[in-house]
Amino acid sequence: MIDTIIFDFGDVFINLDKQASLTALKKLGLPSWNEDLEELNQQFERGKITEVQFMIGLKKLIPNASIDDLRAAWNSVLIDFPLHRLEFLELLKRKYRLFLLSNTDEIHISKFEHKVGATFAREFYQCFEKVYFSFEIGIRKPDPEAFKYIINKHDLSTKRTLFIDDKKENTDIAASLGMQVWNITPGKEDVVELFDRKILPR
């Protein structure tokens, strides 16, 4: 019997346009997503570099763009957070222990909080026993240590834990650790269908 659910954030709760940032950065002069940018992103998402260091690194790759334009391009991945998902979470928290585990950076989280407003963001965070962002804990999915960090810290039973993520490499690792998983398909499935799709019993 599942008693705990660990959720991803992007494309589970907040809708993303994963091509938007690359398209916007290309318009500013980036030839393509390259190894340097990938490394910069990975370091930023692990909290290994600061926001200032990240923006300096981005500016080196696209020297003719302004910092404001670079920030806007980086944040263009974030679309909207439908209210019905927050309402669903608020019902779910009455029955289950809920956690959030997201690969993200401080720029995106700051933008999310500004975009939805302080009240909405606070109500969202309060649905969870604990929120874990990769830039704060220094580990990214699909590193097994990201999952073990939560499991050990909260003494979770993996067989009683459901993990929901839109990336198969992440759900594969969670499954290998003994968790039940739902590899959600953005655009075709919605997290509020958790019971309708018989992933959890009503």
Side-chain angles (χ1 to χ4, degrees), residues 47-194:
K48 304 302 181 190
I49 57 174
T50 65
E51 180 179 342
V52 170
Q53 289 171 318
F54 174 75
M55 294 307 298
I56 289 170
L58 208 52
K59 179 80 171 162
K60 284 179 181 176
L61 295 173
I62 316 171
N64 294 327
S66 71
I67 293 294
D68 286 346
D69 285 345
L70 289 171
R71 187 183 300 276
W74 190 249
N75 280 329
S76 62
V77 65
L78 305 175
I79 308 299
D80 66 318
F81 189 137
L83 178 61
H84 70 272
R85 292 180 185 157
L86 176 59
E87 293 170 339
F88 177 71
L89 257 187
E90 288 174 332
L91 292 174
L92 209 57
K93 73 176 182 180
R94 299 175 187 175
K95 188 176 178 183
Y96 298 93
R97 297 179 71 185
L98 306 182
F99 297 89
L100 192 72
L101 176 63
S102 173
N103 289 351
T104 190
D105 60 64
E106 56 185 300
I107 291 178
H108 283 158
I109 292 305
S110 177
K111 178 64 176 180
F112 153 69
E113 292 172 354
H114 178 75
K115 196 177 181 75
V116 301
T119 300
F120 188 104
R122 183 175 64 253
E123 289 175 356
F124 173 61
Y125 292 147
Q126 286 175 345
C127 290
F128 302 98
E129 192 170 318
K130 186 71 177 173
V131 170
Y132 290 102
F133 294 133
S134 60
F135 75 90
E136 291 177 333
I137 63 174
I139 325 166
R140 289 176 84 256
K141 299 169 295 184
D143 187 335
E145 294 305 315
F147 300 96
K148 291 176 183 176
Y149 185 88
I150 296 180
I151 291 164
N152 295 334
K153 204 169 182 65
H154 299 278
D155 196 24
L156 304 182
S157 164
T158 53
K159 67 181 179 181
R160 295 168 71 91
T161 300
L162 172 67
F163 175 67
I164 301 172
D165 198 294
D166 65 307
K167 292 187 176 176
K168 191 172 183 299
E169 61 263 37
N170 297 337
T171 53
D172 283 352
I173 292 296
S176 75
L177 295 171
M179 293 186 228
Q180 296 188 47
V181 300
W182 179 16
N183 180 209
I184 197 168
T185 305
K188 294 183 178 179
E189 298 174 315
D190 194 306
V191 71
V192 301
E193 299 164 0
L194 201 51

Side-chain angles (χ1 to χ4, degrees), residues 25-50:
L25 290 171
K26 281 184 173 179
K27 286 180 181 177
L28 295 176
L30 181 75
S32 64
W33 189 281
N34 53 43
E35 288 183 10
D36 288 341
L37 183 51
E38 179 61 26
E39 177 61 23
L40 195 66
N41 178 47
Q42 294 255 350
Q43 286 188 326
F44 194 34
E45 282 195 349
R46 286 195 181 93
K48 304 302 181 190
I49 57 174
T50 65

